Amino acid sequence: MPMNALATKRFVIRKSLIGTSTVISFTNSKNELMTYDHDKVYNQLKDKFEAMPCFNKYGSYTNTNNLPAFVRTLKEII
């Protein structure tokens, strides 16, 4: 499956991007480029995202300043 690339202003997991093989890049508050595979991150933390009220209400989870700590601890995000 071909990968899609998306540049954003923040870390985001969106219901609408699940299964699209999207690689997302953004610059964090320390001016460091962060890149992650949306589906790899979502699939590893699916239960966590699905339990979040914001994910259910708005269909997304975002973090403006950096990769969330629970994502930084994952072994593989690309």
Side-chain angles (χ1 to χ4, degrees), residues 16-77:
S16 63
L17 291 176
I18 296 169
T20 61
S21 298
T22 301
V23 174
I24 299 176
S25 297
F26 72 98
T27 302
N28 70 9
S29 60
K30 295 180 181 178
N31 211 30
E32 301 166 323
L33 182 64
M34 300 283 131
T35 303
Y36 61 98
D37 182 309
H38 181 276
D39 289 342
K40 279 188 183 178
V41 171
Y42 173 77
N43 289 331
Q44 292 176 81
L45 297 166
K46 180 179 180 177
D47 292 340
K48 183 175 189 71
F49 290 120
E50 294 293 337
M52 292 178 173
C54 63
F55 196 73
N56 290 306
K57 185 174 182 179
Y58 302 110
S60 67
Y61 169 81
T62 64
N63 188 316
T64 302
N65 298 317
N66 206 351
L67 290 174
F70 58 85
V71 173
R72 290 192 301 260
T73 62
L74 294 176
K75 290 184 180 184
E76 189 174 356
I77 63 170

